[in-house]
Amino acid sequence: MALETLRLIIIVAEADIASRLTKELAQLGVLGSNTTAGKGSWRRALEGRGPQEWSGPTVRIEAVVSQSVAEAVLARLSQAWFPHYVVFAWVSDVGVQRPDKYA
Amino acid sequence: MALETLRLIIIVAEADIASRLTKELAQLGVLGSNTTAGKGSWRRALEGRGPQEWSGPTVRIEAVVSQSVAEAVLARLSQAWFPHYVVFAWVSDVGVQRPDKYA
Amino acid sequence: MALETLRLIIIVAEADIASRLTKELAQLGVLGSNTTAGKGSWRRALEGRGPQEWSGPTVRIEAVVSQSVAEAVLARLSQAWFPHYVVFAWVSDVGVQRPDKYA
């Protein structure tokens, strides 16, 4: 079975910013995502504002996207979100059957 | 530490079909799975039935399987589920210590 | 965009042991994690104590860590947790922008 390789991006963020974050993802070209509620705890959650430890309710947003959309999302997170909010993100390759549903 | 490579399959689907989908996975050789409830939104969720946009409650089903079971699941999703329901699926490689628990 | 490769570790476990497990992860050098509640079902969930089938509430713990921390976690799971509890774990590579948040 031939699979096409796309990028999976996972974003874990403090729950309060979930809807703003999802809206911004759509503006950056993300065609869809799945969100699950959870809780998180990190020793290095914040960048340069007071204590770095953070625990609390989170959202986990998962989206399959093209390489260019993944780069746009990471660039935007790095510039506008990481400095101000508890946001983590990581990417990896995944295989899909219907790439036109995602990119 | 020696890890064995298996396939991780993630399925995100409209919540209504969760139990039927899980039952079918078992019939295809999936030995176990973890399911989390969430919500999703996609611009290209549906294949050829009216408007493609969809938002609503979802389930996220995650299973570690052999390559052959992964292929059987994807083939079945493609044939019987993608045309009729909101279902997304992607696969990737993962390393495990106890492959006999999964395959 | 330059990404650094780290290890993503996913642990799915019976919900009852969530807090003990998270505490142990911290002791092994995991700097943070995200946890989501779910439900799971496996035919080979238990190692050598009575029937192997298990279904019930689960937690899914996700952490991005260095290779050495990933190995320490897997070694500890293998030694102290797999023989006694319903615990599954798998690892894969992920790309991140800010590796110092994780390792």
Side-chain angles (χ1 to χ4, degrees), chain A residues 52-91:
Chain A
Q52 296 192 317
E53 297 212 10
W54 186 91
S55 294
T58 59
V59 287
R60 180 186 185 278
I61 303 170
E62 182 168 34
V64 174
V65 297
S66 66
Q67 171 65 14
S68 62
V69 169
E71 290 192 2
V73 169
L74 291 175
R76 181 70 182 155
L77 290 175
S78 192
Q79 175 213 351
W81 294 83
F82 287 163
H84 305 295
Y85 302 100
V86 175
V87 180
F88 295 84
W90 50 89
V91 294

Side-chain angles (χ1 to χ4, degrees), chain B residues 80-93:
Chain B
W81 294 83
F82 288 163
H84 304 296
Y85 301 101
V86 175
V87 180
F88 294 85
W90 50 90
V91 294
S92 60
D93 286 342

